[in-house]
Amino acid sequence: HADPTWVLSNHDVIRHVTRYGGGEQGLARARAATLTMLSLPGSAYLYQGEELGLEQVDVPPAHRTDPSWLRTKDSESPEVGRDGCRVPIPWSGSEPPYGFGPGSGQPWLPQPDGWGPVSAEAQAGDPTSTLSFYRRALAARRGLLGLTEDVAVEHADGVLTLRRGDLTVVLNCGTVDVPLPAGDLVASSGPVDGEVLPPDTAVWLR
């Protein structure tokens, strides 16, 4: 018997905010997927930068370093490569290198303009930020220690429901609000007001 492992992004795939549509909707979906994943038994792995809600970066061809790009760039079917998920993350400040390393200017993979608002420094004091969401979700996950590893799964009309002991996880993948089952709200991936769950949002209830 081996514990399962869960991951949404890594250094070989397009960042999941981008895979889920990008922009505000992609970020909402990414946060909902993360909260759902963190409810599962086993080990969860978080890839650097996803706690800031980073999207895939379109690295200019002249700056790409991935061997798959260097090997295929002159072919009929060039591969863009994996550099877009490997751009150094923003720590602080309003312009490159956003506190990454001791130097100034762009690092080896150029960071995009406009990353200041998603830096770790900018998000740390904002309770609505993705960084704050990750911190709350990870703290809530510690409360699941000792919970049964058996998970009951239901899905209907764009809604996924997981039950694990006294924990109920509801993920709304649809386009309309859905009723919330009974229970005390433990964690949510986005704003939840009243007794309904908005689209692209997940909650934990106990």
Side-chain angles (χ1 to χ4, degrees), residues 13-202:
V13 298
I14 294 173
R15 288 188 177 276
H16 61 281
V17 174
T18 300
R19 296 202 315 268
Y20 295 160
E24 291 185 8
Q25 185 176 56
L27 180 59
R29 290 173 172 175
R31 287 169 55 150
T34 295
L35 191 65
T36 303
M37 178 186 74
L38 291 177
S39 73
L40 299 171
S43 299
Y45 291 85
L46 307 178
Y47 179 55
Q48 59 92 11
E50 72 172 84
E51 75 282 7
L52 302 178
L54 298 186
E55 296 195 44
Q56 189 82 354
V57 176
D58 184 13
V59 177
H63 294 281
R64 295 174 187 165
T65 63
D66 192 327
S68 64
W69 164 256
L70 299 177
R71 186 175 60 250
T72 65
K73 64 180 181 178
D74 296 322
S75 70
E76 294 182 359
S77 302
E79 300 176 15
V80 172
R82 300 159 292 184
D83 293 317
C85 63
R86 300 177 177 186
V87 174
I89 65 175
W91 290 100
S92 60
S94 58
E95 59 186 26
Y98 300 108
F100 187 91
S104 60
Q106 291 285 9
W108 67 96
L109 288 175
Q111 300 161 308
D113 294 330
W115 254 10
V118 297
S119 72
E121 179 183 61
Q123 294 196 44
D126 179 1
T128 68
S129 72
T130 299
L131 178 59
S132 294
F133 157 70
Y134 266 76
R135 287 174 171 169
R136 289 193 301 270
L138 291 172
R141 190 173 194 264
R142 297 186 189 101
L144 305 185
L145 292 174
L147 207 59
T148 176
E149 294 188 1
D150 296 329
V151 181
V153 181
E154 302 173 12
H155 55 87
D157 300 324
V159 178
L160 175 68
T161 303
L162 310 176
R163 290 187 172 84
R164 184 180 170 201
D166 67 350
L167 176 72
T168 298
V169 181
V170 187
L171 168 62
N172 185 359
C173 302
T175 59
V176 297
D177 294 351
V178 297
L180 278 174
D184 295 326
L185 183 65
V186 176
S188 66
S189 65
V192 175
D193 186 15
E195 299 179 350
V196 297
L197 180 65
D200 304 322
T201 307

